Amino acid sequence: MFKTTLSKLFILLTCWWLSFAALGTSLEGVRIWPSPDNTRVVLDLSKAPKYTYFTLTNPNRIVVDIQGKPQDFNFTKVKNTSPLLKEIRKSSAKKPNTFRLVLELKEATKPIIFSLTPTKPYGDRLVMDLPHSAALSKTKVEISQPSSERDIVIAVDAGHGGDDPGALGKRTYEKNITLTIAKQVAAKINREKGMQAILVRSGDYYINLNKRSEIARKSQADLLVSIHADGFKNPKPRGASVWVLSTRRANSEIGRWIEKHEEQSELLGGAGEVINNTEQDLFLTRTLLDMSMDHSMNTGYGVSVEVLKELGKVTKLHKKRPEHASLAVLKSPDIPSLLVEAGFITNHEEENLLRSKAHQKKIANAVYVGIKRHFENSPPAGTYFAAIAAKSHIVQRGENLSVIAKRYGVTVSQLKRANKLKSDTLRVDQELKIPNS
């Protein structure tokens, strides 16, 4: 009898607990992150959600039912600049112990809705990705590329963004530092004749890591530079660094930490695909055999060397040579890529530096100068930089200054001045610099 009573009591307590747990899920916050071609709505919840949803037309709506305790939430205080989402409001749910949210839309869309487990600094979340139509999308690539003497196009990527804050300092989110520096790099490039920059991310929103390379590719970029601020599990490491693609996993502790942090970024950003899936690794392995990948890796390394030289003039370096890691943003086989870590945001001294406008300006200028110097020395064919690059001529038997000047469309005096010649005498196999006509 006593055992029977205990069993019944246990069952009652279990049912009560399950009922309490179901009622316990509550809405703690709402964030709306509009990007050029997508609006992301993030619901911060007290527990992992159990939910269902459906769409309605005339007018266009998305209805989400979440199992949990109905409560008051002031949606009017949620910042909303989305071109697609009109508003979020509460509605009456048909099932008990459920709260219903209705997303009013300006047009129909096919939502992608999924939950995310806690990842610092966030708890349980329900993520709703709402793709924009072509009419609403602001993703427009306007690159001027004449048939001759085209601009060198640099895609500048600000790491992280939106629901993914990146590395966390005591007072700073990495995503804010990277966007500020990236905008300054792009502005400097756009002021340089023969160069043009496009910002991969121009605001506080998240872009899937693989899509960042796609944006660079659509822009016909000659280089992708991704700006970051490093983080580590302890505050001791400091200094800027530059990373290029490795076909193997990183062999340093910092490199492994960065690779792990990139995977965490996809979780925070709520990417709908896994970076390192089998098909992609197979594709990358095959692509690495292609000469285009060799060219991209060599060019990326060449730019990184120049950028490191400039960074060393304005800040402490973590490593004096480019480091290697297997990062998604570096894996594009047809676009030379590098990742710049401006410093360790987890180091108190460097966090203060990275928050400084003067230091941000120095970092941006170093990145810009390094990129410019590389392309001045190795300009892509058909670009303005290639057209103005200093040519050279090896003197052949029977040639004189007059013949050479006529061949290159310059004057004899220009040739003599460019080569600091005091007479008209030349010797066979002498190398002459040819000035711009």
Side-chain angles (χ1 to χ4, degrees):
M1 181 69 178
F2 180 70
K3 289 183 178 180
T4 304
T5 303
L6 283 177
S7 297
K8 289 181 178 179
L9 180 61
F10 177 76
I11 292 170
L12 285 171
L13 286 172
T14 302
C15 292
W16 174 83
W17 172 251
L18 290 173
S19 176
F20 176 80
L23 289 171
T25 302
S26 59
L27 181 62
E28 298 182 337
V30 178
R31 284 166 286 128
I32 301 173
W33 304 101
S35 69
D37 56 4
N38 180 79
T39 292
R40 168 163 289 175
V41 179
V42 182
L43 307 180
D44 291 311
L45 302 167
S46 61
K47 293 186 177 181
K50 293 182 179 179
Y51 65 95
T52 59
Y53 73 93
F54 56 92
T55 59
L56 296 172
T57 57
N58 298 320
N60 294 303
R61 287 155 290 166
I62 300 171
V63 180
V64 183
D65 288 335
I66 302 174
Q67 183 178 327
K69 182 181 178 181
Q71 72 261 265
D72 292 328
F73 188 90
N74 190 353
F75 289 98
T76 61
K77 292 185 177 181
V78 178
K79 184 180 179 181
N80 178 22
T81 57
S82 168
L84 173 63
L85 178 64
K86 288 182 179 180
E87 66 170 339
I88 305 177
R89 60 177 173 83
K90 295 180 293 184
S91 185
S92 299
K94 293 183 178 180
K95 294 181 179 180
N97 301 329
T98 300
F99 61 92
R100 170 170 289 185
L101 301 180
V102 179
L103 283 69
E104 300 277 0
L105 306 174
K106 295 179 182 178
E107 64 179 20
T109 188
K110 293 182 178 180
I112 302 170
I113 301 180
F114 52 95
S115 60
L116 289 173
T117 55
T119 312
K120 189 179 179 181
Y122 300 116
D124 284 292
R125 289 151 290 160
L126 185 64
V127 179
M128 293 173 275
D129 276 339
L130 315 177
H132 299 170
S133 67
L136 284 181
S137 178
K138 297 179 182 178
T139 305
K140 295 181 180 178
V141 178
E142 297 180 359
I143 298 296
S144 174
Q145 298 288 18
S147 58
S148 62
E149 299 187 10
R150 68 171 179 86
D151 288 344
I152 295 172
V153 179
I154 311 297
V156 185
D157 171 43
H160 308 282
D163 227 29
D164 171 21
L168 306 176
K170 287 189 175 181
R171 299 182 295 158
T172 317
Y173 282 174
E174 179 185 358
K175 67 175 184 177
N176 299 325
I177 300 296
T178 63
L179 184 59
T180 300
I181 295 176
K183 285 182 175 180
Q184 292 186 32
V185 173
K188 289 177 178 292
I189 289 171
N190 283 329
R191 286 194 290 267
E192 180 69 41
K193 185 177 181 181
M195 296 182 76
Q196 186 173 358
I198 63 107
L199 278 170
V200 174
R201 173 172 75 87
S202 60
D204 189 11
Y205 50 85
Y206 183 78
I207 298 177
N208 176 274
L209 296 176
N210 294 311
K211 191 173 181 180
R212 296 177 192 236
S213 293
E214 290 178 19
I215 292 172
R217 183 175 296 107
K218 289 178 180 177
S219 305
Q220 303 174 42
D222 296 281
L223 178 75
L224 170 61
V225 55
S226 189
I227 308 296
H228 288 253
D230 229 332
F232 199 55
K233 57 190 175 184
N234 68 62
K236 291 183 179 180
R238 59 172 299 182
S241 57
V242 179
W243 295 78
V244 291
L245 179 65
S246 170
T247 56
R248 300 179 180 180
R249 304 297 289 180
N251 55 11
S252 71
E253 189 176 5
I254 296 288
R256 290 191 295 272
W257 179 267
I258 290 175
E259 289 176 356
K260 182 179 179 181
H261 192 61
E262 184 184 69
E263 293 175 3
Q264 184 190 40
S265 293
E266 287 288 61
L267 292 174
L268 283 168
E273 60 182 278
V274 179
I275 301 174
N276 295 315
N277 59 55
T278 304
E279 291 182 5
Q280 191 175 41
D281 282 346
L282 181 60
F283 169 77
L284 178 61
T285 302
R286 292 172 178 171
T287 308
L288 287 172
L289 300 176
D290 193 271
M291 289 182 63
S292 65
M293 193 64 182
D294 292 336
H295 167 74
S296 294
M297 292 175 70
N298 290 336
T299 302
Y301 188 87
V303 179
S304 69
V305 169
E306 297 294 342
V307 170
L308 265 178
K309 287 180 184 177
E310 296 303 315
L311 285 171
K313 297 175 183 178
V314 300
T315 192
K316 178 181 175 65
L317 294 180
H318 182 66
K319 289 289 180 65
K320 294 183 179 180
R321 293 184 179 180
E323 299 187 72
H324 297 78
S326 179
L327 301 170
V329 77
L330 300 176
K331 288 183 179 180
S332 178
D334 54 338
I335 304 173
S337 307
L338 65 148
L339 186 148
V340 176
E341 296 280 7
F344 281 81
I345 205 169
T346 46
N347 178 282
H348 180 63
E349 185 178 345
E350 285 202 332
E351 180 184 11
N352 290 335
L353 276 175
L354 290 169
R355 290 171 61 88
S356 161
K357 291 182 179 180
H359 189 72
Q360 291 169 356
K361 186 176 180 180
K362 289 179 181 178
I363 295 294
N365 190 66
V367 174
Y368 152 71
V369 172
I371 292 172
K372 179 187 174 186
R373 179 172 294 120
H374 171 82
F375 285 112
E376 283 178 335
N377 296 331
S378 304
T383 62
Y384 172 78
F385 271 37
I388 65 171
K391 302 180 182 71
S392 63
H393 176 83
I394 305 300
V395 177
Q396 304 297 312
R397 190 176 300 278
E399 289 182 332
N400 57 38
L401 284 174
S402 179
V403 170
I404 296 171
K406 184 177 180 180
R407 175 177 176 180
Y408 291 100
V410 297
T411 65
V412 171
S413 61
Q414 286 176 323
L415 266 181
K416 293 178 71 174
R417 188 163 53 249
N419 292 277
K420 300 179 181 180
L421 298 176
K422 296 181 179 180
S423 70
D424 293 346
T425 304
L426 299 175
R427 66 178 186 276
V428 176
D429 294 332
Q430 180 180 355
E431 183 176 358
L432 295 177
K433 293 181 180 178
I434 307 300
N436 297 321
S437 58

